[in-house]
Amino acid sequence: MRIKMVSPMTRLDGMSREDFREYYVKQHTQVGGGFPGHIKYVGSPAIQSANGDDPPFDAVAELWWESVDALAAAYTHELWERARADHPNVVSGRIMFVVEEHDILEPPPTGEGVKYIALLTRADKQSREDFRRYWFDEHIPLALQTPNLKGYRACPGLYSANGDGILTDPREVSQFDGVVEMFFDSVEAFNESFADPFWDRLRTDYYANFAMGRVQLLVEEHLVFDKITD
């Protein structure tokens, strides 16, 4: 189990998706990244929504940390201010929250293939504990049967990282209750899988046991650095 911050973002108003991708991958991800306790950084531009149309976000940043306290300490680091100062050049909005990461089916190496991301919320009156229990004990065994699946990662939500939420005591809870990451060899392999009737079983189980308002998109990972495997 590892700690990471997940940050879905939308591009600057009036900026094309192509220009956003170019700037985000080649310039924005190079700002900062040297914080103490920051052990891995992956920036993932969006490719499409799950249905193949425009994605709900333009990229998802993932930043791994030695601990939640290490992330909180970074908020007072000058590199954080440098990264924030670059946002008006590329980002119109973002959400930041902290999750714990569990590799259920070992994913392929970072950057190989594509990754489906779903942001999950629990059902009305469903406790966080019951949400997590059903997800891990019941839904994941079904999801592992997904056609063309190459990896599965479950990331229960912990804390909000917006504003000063990570610095308060107690810390503010995450805006999302979990993040699903499912890995496929290619966009074509994902589209073929998503069109398979098996996904109807996944949707039926999901809608019956979680909130219906999940957010789905397909991304392409770009590794900035990795001190975990170095």
Side-chain angles (χ1 to χ4, degrees):
M1 187 270 286
R2 288 188 289 266
I3 297 296
K4 72 177 176 182
M5 185 178 77
V6 179
S7 182
M9 64 190 72
T10 52
R11 66 187 184 273
L12 191 67
D13 296 344
M15 186 180 232
S16 70
R17 288 181 61 193
E18 293 74 17
D19 287 346
F20 167 83
R21 180 188 180 98
E22 178 79 7
Y23 189 95
Y24 174 71
V25 171
K26 295 185 177 180
Q27 297 190 55
H28 184 68
T29 59
Q30 305 306 310
V31 179
F35 311 101
H38 186 193
I39 55 177
K40 185 176 179 179
Y41 185 6
V42 171
S44 301
I47 301 171
Q48 62 180 50
S49 73
N51 289 320
D53 48 16
D54 288 341
F57 295 103
D58 294 297
V60 178
E62 297 170 84
L63 293 80
W64 285 255
W65 299 85
E66 291 178 347
S67 67
V68 179
D69 289 341
L71 167 60
Y75 271 52
T76 62
H77 200 286
E78 61 91 13
L79 285 175
W80 199 272
E81 295 303 324
R82 284 177 51 194
R84 186 180 290 115
D86 190 53
H87 285 160
N89 295 320
V90 65
V91 175
S92 67
R94 63 174 180 168
I95 304 167
M96 300 188 297
F97 57 100
V98 182
V99 302
E100 58 178 52
E101 180 183 81
H102 300 262
D103 287 345
I104 308 299
L105 175 62
E106 185 69 26
T110 302
E112 291 189 8
V114 298
K115 180 166 71 175
Y116 162 86
I117 295 177
L119 309 179
L120 311 181
T121 51
R122 64 189 189 275
D124 296 343
K125 299 183 180 179
Q126 185 180 39
S127 70
R128 294 170 71 90
E129 293 74 18
D130 285 346
F131 164 84
R132 178 174 175 144
R133 180 198 59 77
Y134 190 87
W135 181 14
F136 276 71
D137 295 348
E138 305 294 337
H139 186 75
I140 287 178
L142 177 64
L144 292 177
Q145 303 173 45
T146 301
N148 298 344
L149 184 68
K150 296 299 182 181
Y152 188 102
R153 182 177 286 155
C155 303
L158 296 176
Y159 309 112
S160 170
N162 281 357
D164 65 348
I166 199 70
L167 303 175
T168 59
D169 185 16
R171 290 177 167 128
E172 296 178 11
V173 299
S174 171
Q175 302 92 315
F176 292 95
D177 294 296
V179 180
V180 169
E181 301 176 29
M182 300 170 70
F183 297 79
F184 298 85
D185 282 338
S186 63
V187 175
E188 293 75 19
F190 169 77
N191 289 339
E192 179 184 79
S193 176
F194 199 67
D196 191 284
F198 178 82
W199 279 80
D200 290 333
R201 292 178 59 191
L202 283 179
R203 295 183 192 102
T204 297
D205 185 70
Y206 181 88
Y207 294 150
N209 294 285
F210 307 121
M212 295 183 68
R214 63 179 172 174
V215 180
Q216 307 172 89
L217 68 160
L218 201 66
V219 304
E220 181 180 53
E221 295 182 318
H222 285 265
L223 180 64
V224 183
F225 67 82
D226 184 358
K227 298 178 183 177
I228 298 174
T229 57
D230 286 350

